[in-house]
Amino acid sequence: MSNSSLLFVLIISVISGIDFYFFNFLIYFFTFFFIGQSEIISLVMLVGDSGVGKTCLLVRFKDGAFLAGSFISTVGIDFRNKVLNIDGVKVKLQIWDTAGQERFRSVTHAYYRDAHALLLLYDVTNKSSFDNIQAWLTEIHEYAQQDVVLMLLGNKADATHDRVVKREDGERLAKEFGVPFMETSARSGLNVELAFTAVAKELKHRSMKDPNEKFKLHEYVNKEMKGTGCCRS
Ligand SMILES: Nc1nc2c(ncn2[C@@H]2O[C@H](COP(=O)(O)OP(=O)(O)OP(=O)(O)O)[C@@H](O)[C@H]2O)c(=O)[nH]1
């Protein structure tokens, strides 16, 4: 419950002459009610081949910066937290950055089942990272929860000269597997915020189970992508 809401209840209580015990009850009720509903903790996992830009995407989202310089592969698994305000509700994302290297695959497998959402990345400048998406999806179906929120991201969209995977190919693959898709760039920041916000909105929607609130991840992504004038799915 925010300070202003608390102050509001206090003022109303004083004005209307509500006694102390009833006022206390009101505070407990509202605190429990609002805090109980206003914090959602979700686990989001970044997966994809080594070098596709998972760590850079996370750093861009968390700190708003691009990790330039020499490429240091993630060892095992790393995580960072970020709290988003989604329509007045705090959604705490715990984001796990997994190692793309084959030798860490068994470590990653152990984390799949706890993930609420997966961002599956390929690199638009690396054809094999795109070809491996099918194998990643097979792995996801084997280890992750059936209803996990899944989104396909074609990263390094800024690298126009080195691009070998067309946006349309990414769109086609995503359509084939029925997952939302967008191109991102950890370097320029393109669609980074949008990717995480879209996932957070879907997780919030699922968690609150509000029948009056209609949210469709695919539609939201398509609408927002149109807004950017770029890389529509
Ligand atoms: N041009 C460009 N380069 C990027 C982008 N994202 C990452 N890179 C570069 O790609 C390389 C790999 O990035 P990482 O984020 O470390 O890749 P990763 O997927 O975490 O790799 P692993 O930890 O081995 O799984 C680094 O040299 C980055 O600078 C991007 O959006 N655009």
Side-chain angles (χ1 to χ4, degrees), residues 50-56 66 71 73-74 100 155-156 158 186-187:
S50 177
V52 295
K54 299 180 293 296
T55 303
C56 288
F66 178 61
F71 163 36
S73 251
T74 304
N155 192 40
K156 306 195 189 177
D158 61 278
R187 181 182 283 272

Side-chain angles (χ1 to χ4, degrees), residues 18-231:
I18 295 173
D19 74 23
F20 179 75
Y21 292 106
F22 187 62
F23 173 62
N24 265 0
F25 164 76
L26 273 182
I27 288 183
Y28 287 129
F29 175 79
F30 279 98
T31 304
F32 181 78
F33 184 78
F34 282 104
I35 287 184
Q37 292 207 350
S38 69
E39 289 199 348
I40 296 163
I41 298 170
S42 297
L43 307 177
V44 181
M45 204 164 149
L46 300 175
V47 289
D49 278 9
S50 177
V52 295
K54 299 180 293 296
T55 303
C56 288
L57 195 86
L58 178 52
V59 171
R60 165 63 72 185
F61 176 59
K62 177 74 175 61
D63 306 325
F66 178 61
L67 258 189
S70 53
F71 163 36
I72 302 167
S73 251
T74 304
V75 174
I77 202 151
D78 194 9
F79 78 90
R80 287 172 195 234
N81 295 321
K82 182 150 174 168
V83 181
L84 294 184
N85 188 323
I86 304 290
D87 310 321
V89 176
K90 270 191 201 166
V91 180
K92 283 188 185 170
L93 297 182
Q94 184 173 98
I95 308 158
W96 296 342
D97 174 20
T98 65
Q101 287 181 11
E102 191 79 44
R103 65 196 169 107
F104 295 115
R105 224 34 78 76
S106 57
V107 180
T108 313
H109 289 167
Y111 288 86
Y112 271 120
R113 69 178 144 66
D114 293 325
H116 300 114
L118 295 169
L119 293 179
L120 173 57
L121 280 77
Y122 67 87
D123 171 355
V124 301
T125 71
N126 178 338
K127 179 73 164 55
S128 74
S129 74
F130 178 72
D131 294 338
N132 286 338
I133 289 297
Q134 200 143 347
W136 279 105
L137 287 167
T138 307
E139 190 171 299
I140 288 166
H141 288 135
E142 189 173 342
Y143 294 100
Q145 294 188 44
Q146 232 179 349
D147 64 345
V148 72
V149 177
L150 180 59
M151 195 180 317
L152 180 66
L153 305 179
N155 192 40
K156 306 195 189 177
D158 61 278
T160 36
H161 297 302
D162 299 324
R163 178 191 278 273
V164 290
V165 183
K166 289 194 214 121
R167 197 184 77 214
E168 295 75 30
D169 295 333
E171 287 175 346
R172 202 174 308 116
L173 188 71
K175 203 167 179 184
E176 191 184 323
F177 289 98
V179 293
F181 167 75
M182 63 179 79
E183 287 198 337
T184 56
S185 167
R187 181 182 283 272
S188 73
L190 175 78
N191 291 332
V192 176
E193 193 81 27
L194 174 61
F196 286 96
T197 305
V199 160
K201 274 184 176 277
E202 173 69 24
L203 293 170
K204 179 218 146 197
H205 173 70
R206 288 187 184 192
S207 160
M208 301 193 78
K209 295 186 182 83
D210 182 353
N212 296 321
E213 194 196 339
K214 290 190 174 61
F215 180 76
K216 299 244 180 336
L217 184 57
H218 267 95
E219 283 173 18
Y220 176 77
V221 167
N222 284 344
K223 190 172 122 251
E224 296 299 311
M225 300 293 280
K226 274 176 195 156
T228 67
C230 170
C231 320

